[in-house]
């Protein structure tokens, strides 16, 4: 197996920009994905294939990748964006989620 | 609309067995790989198992290999997780998820059920 490492927490003021990183060698060869999980709810896909956003996800969410580091950016953060965020990737070694980042909007 | 509904036992003793079910609707079930992902309350997401659309290929997370088994019945649009020799550390919310493609390699969970809490305790 392999690992995807995220910072445990990120804080952002309402209206400001938050960035969450995800590091792992698999990302240099494979796509990264991002999930949002609000308290007591199932995860929701917010970014797929590094940079693509599902049609029902706010334009505030964007993804990028450079080498082995994927980044989720929340532009103009809202209170409703407060949640846990997980990256994900997969290759022949398996399917792995990142360690998770708690985003606090305050 | 894709809908996934998990069910099964909720409480099992250490060393015991349990089977979870996930009934799917709203899509062509056999065209998609399926997976189980779990989450210890307050902790992160963990891949448990995946199965391709035809049911012939599976993969497992390291912590459950040799103890858990995933299977599917495409005539019933249902995927199962058979849990044997369960441990206290298997206590978690178990999510059923539909993957993006027929095979789980290079696929991602696109749709999730609401989850089912399994408690392993004596």
């Amino acid at each position: 197996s392999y690992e995807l490492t995220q910072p445990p927490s990120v804080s952002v003021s309402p209206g400001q920009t938050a960035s969450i990183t995800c590091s792992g060698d698999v990302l240099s060869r494979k796509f990264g994905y991002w999930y949002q999980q609000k308290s007591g709810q199932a995860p929701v896909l917010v970014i797929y294939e590094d940079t693509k956003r599902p049609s029902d996800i706010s334009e505030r969410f964007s993804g990028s990748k450079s080498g082995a580091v994927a980044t989720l950016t929340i532009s103009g953060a809202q209170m409703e964006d407060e949640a846990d965020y997980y990256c994900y990737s997969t290759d022949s070694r398996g399917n792995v989620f990142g360690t998770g980042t708690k985003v606090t909007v305050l | 609309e894709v809908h996934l509904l998990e069910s099964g036992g909720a409480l099992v003793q250490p060393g015991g067995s349990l089977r979870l079910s996930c009934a799917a609707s709203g899509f062509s079930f056999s065209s998609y790989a399926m997976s189980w992902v779990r989450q210890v309350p307050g902790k992160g997401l963990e891949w448990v198992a995946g199965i391709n659309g035809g049911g012939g290929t599976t993969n497992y997370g390291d912590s459950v290999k040799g103890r858990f088994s995933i299977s599917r019945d495409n005539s019933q649009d249902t995927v199962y997780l058979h849990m044997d020799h369960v441990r206290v550390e298997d206590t978690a919310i178990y999510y059923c998820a539909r993957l993006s493609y027929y095979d789980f390699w290079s696929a991602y969970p696109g749709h999730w059920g609401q989850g089912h809490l399994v408690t392993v305790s004596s």
Side-chain angles (χ1 to χ4, degrees):
Chain A
S1 188
Y2 55 90
E3 294 184 346
L4 294 173
T5 303
Q6 301 177 230
S9 62
V10 167
S11 295
V12 60
S13 300
Q16 298 303 303
T17 297
S19 294
I20 307 166
T21 57
C22 174
S23 303
D25 66 341
V26 64
L27 294 174
S28 63
R29 298 174 285 104
K30 298 294 184 179
F31 287 126
Y33 303 81
W34 290 95
Y35 294 87
Q36 176 195 67
Q37 186 181 33
K38 296 183 178 180
S39 181
Q41 299 183 19
V44 172
L45 181 73
V46 294
I47 293 291
Y48 66 103
E49 295 179 358
D50 295 340
T51 62
K52 299 176 182 178
R53 187 179 58 247
S55 59
D56 57 344
I57 298 301
S58 170
E59 294 180 356
R60 297 195 303 277
F61 293 90
S62 62
S64 62
K65 192 173 75 175
S66 178
V69 181
T71 301
L72 175 69
T73 300
I74 308 173
S75 303
Q78 306 293 312
M79 295 298 296
E80 66 207 56
D81 301 329
E82 189 162 283
D84 294 323
Y85 291 83
Y86 296 90
C87 60
Y88 165 92
S89 192
T90 174
D91 71 1
S92 59
R93 294 172 293 174
N95 309 65
V96 175
F97 291 93
T99 50
T101 299
K102 181 176 184 60
V103 171
T104 302
V105 182
L106 48 69
Chain B
E1 181 185 0
V2 174
H3 189 62
L4 302 169
L5 182 62
E6 302 97 339
S7 63
L11 178 64
V12 59
Q13 293 187 338
S17 298
L18 193 66
R19 188 183 79 165
L20 301 183
S21 302
C22 171
S25 61
F27 63 98
S28 177
F29 184 69
S30 62
S31 296
Y32 292 89
M34 299 294 294
S35 66
W36 289 93
V37 176
R38 71 183 181 183
Q39 185 173 38
V40 174
K43 302 298 184 181
L45 300 172
E46 179 186 12
W47 179 273
V48 175
I51 187 167
N52 72 345
T57 306
T58 58
N59 80 341
Y60 298 91
D62 290 342
S63 62
V64 306
K65 280 180 183 175
R67 300 188 300 120
F68 291 10
S69 175
I70 187 171
S71 63
R72 64 190 295 161
D73 184 343
N74 285 348
S75 69
Q76 298 293 320
D77 291 355
T78 301
V79 62
Y80 303 97
L81 184 67
H82 307 264
M83 306 166 61
D84 292 324
H85 307 293
V86 297
R87 305 167 180 167
V88 171
E89 54 265 36
D90 294 323
T91 295
I93 298 169
Y94 285 76
Y95 292 99
C96 169
R98 192 195 84 170
L99 300 182
S100 52
Y101 311 118
Y102 179 86
D103 287 309
F104 48 77
W105 308 120
S106 296
Y108 59 94
H111 297 270
W112 300 66
Q114 283 306 300
H116 180 78
L117 178 62
V118 172
T119 301
V120 182
S121 175
S122 55

